[in-house]
Amino acid sequence: MDVKAYNKQAWDEQVNKNNAWTQPVSSALIEQAKAGNWQVVLTPHKAVPHNWFGKIKGKKVLCLASGGGQQGPILAAAGADVVVFDLSENQLKQDELVAKREQLNLKTVQGDMCDLSVFENESFDLVFHPCANGFIPDLTPLWQEASRVLKPGGRLLAGFLNPVAYIFDWFKAEQGEVCVRHKLPFSDLKNLTDAELKQLEQENEPVVFSHSLEQQIAQQLHQGLVLVDMFEDDWHSMAFSEYFPPAIATCAVKHTLSE
């Protein structure tokens, strides 16, 4: 399978299916954000603390793999200079819809989260990357590129799933049952049966991959991204969330590594 092409098409179709992460924010939320009352999420529910952003007005922000008309428009309404970057054309159209409707300072760029070559080095004050890297098999280029486009002292805010979440049978978890099934690392392409993979394809569900905490956190550190804060969050729709918070958010600051 060409994972990038398949997941692009799958997310385009998720927009048509009105997936919760594809629904543009309301005008009321935009007005609140313009008045200084705003919040965004990196994980399913918990709002990102405002002190992770610092002073948002005037900041150049890259919303990385963050299409859907939600986080980008809110940050733009709060005063940031926002670029939303996403592989799905339909997801980006949701951001464009809100930006046009609300006259926001927001641009969209279509592309792969692992290839930010359209942006120069040190272009952004902040990279906002909600839970999306489970849709790619290798995180190394993601963290390299995120660090490259950040200015020194800039921040990377990232959301991802604890790899423990992937030991469970997600089909059963969505039905309220907790069943340990898989060894890590997990991949839909390797761990699911042919029938289950066909079901995902028929439902236009993107394929996912697990990543270890070393890949999620240590690889950030190896790129000069120093972790300064984090939190965990639940995922109500998955039964295993009753036993542990499966989502993690990190705040890292870019520093120059000494020799």
Side-chain angles (χ1 to χ4, degrees):
M1 177 185 288
D2 182 334
V3 171
K4 183 169 71 172
Y6 173 81
N7 277 350
K8 174 186 178 300
Q9 179 270 338
W11 273 107
D12 281 344
E13 288 301 316
Q14 290 300 310
V15 176
N16 296 332
K17 293 171 64 174
N18 203 31
N19 178 298
W21 298 107
T22 73
Q23 299 172 15
V25 293
S26 67
S27 293
L29 287 177
I30 294 296
E31 287 305 311
Q32 291 176 27
K34 289 179 178 179
N37 179 21
W38 58 275
Q39 63 180 35
V40 289
V41 295
L42 286 163
T43 53
H45 304 291
K46 191 177 293 186
V48 180
H50 276 206
N51 63 3
W52 283 23
F53 296 90
K55 183 181 178 182
I56 193 66
K57 289 187 177 180
K59 268 191 169 67
K60 293 186 178 297
V61 175
L62 175 64
C63 288
L64 179 57
S66 184
Q70 298 180 0
Q71 298 98 345
I74 291 290
L75 294 174
D81 181 0
V82 174
V83 176
V84 179
F85 188 89
D86 202 281
L87 188 60
S88 166
E89 183 179 0
N90 285 357
Q91 280 283 71
L92 292 175
K93 286 180 179 178
Q94 304 297 72
D95 293 276
E96 293 165 2
L97 182 155
V98 181
K100 182 177 180 180
R101 187 187 73 203
E102 309 293 344
Q103 299 182 337
L104 299 174
N105 184 21
L106 179 152
K107 296 185 294 184
T108 62
V109 178
Q110 186 177 12
D112 179 358
M113 71 178 87
C114 293
D115 179 5
L116 305 182
S117 56
V118 294
F119 305 117
E120 296 182 358
N121 294 350
E122 302 178 2
S123 298
F124 296 97
D125 300 298
L126 188 142
V127 173
F128 186 87
H129 177 55
C131 286
N133 66 33
F135 302 119
I136 58 175
D138 181 12
L139 299 187
T140 304
L142 168 69
W143 301 134
Q144 288 175 338
E145 285 289 85
S147 179
R148 180 185 66 78
V149 301
L150 269 176
K151 299 176 183 179
R155 295 191 173 194
L156 169 64
L157 313 187
F160 51 88
L161 289 186
N162 188 320
V164 174
Y166 292 92
I167 71 174
F168 299 100
D169 185 321
W170 282 22
F171 293 99
K172 291 183 178 180
E174 290 174 338
Q175 302 303 316
E177 182 179 349
V178 178
C179 175
V180 174
R181 174 182 173 187
H182 304 294
K183 291 183 178 181
L184 301 181
F186 172 86
S187 161
D188 275 338
L189 303 182
K190 295 181 179 180
N191 293 70
L192 298 186
T193 65
D194 290 343
E196 289 170 331
L197 191 57
K198 184 176 181 180
Q199 179 181 338
L200 290 185
E201 294 172 351
Q202 290 175 337
E203 296 175 356
N204 291 300
E205 291 287 341
V207 294
V208 299
F209 307 85
S210 77
H211 302 293
S212 69
L213 290 178
E214 284 188 354
Q215 293 166 334
Q216 294 285 12
I217 296 176
Q219 284 189 10
Q220 290 190 51
L221 303 179
H222 297 163
Q223 297 302 319
L225 297 162
V226 179
L227 191 68
V228 296
D229 203 358
M230 66 171 291
F231 63 79
E232 295 175 298
D233 195 7
D234 56 27
W235 188 7
H236 297 316
S237 63
M238 303 299 275
F240 50 75
S241 186
E242 179 182 351
Y243 297 93
F244 74 106
I248 298 171
T250 58
C251 175
V253 177
K254 180 179 177 179
H255 289 271
T256 301
L257 291 176
S258 59
E259 295 293 334

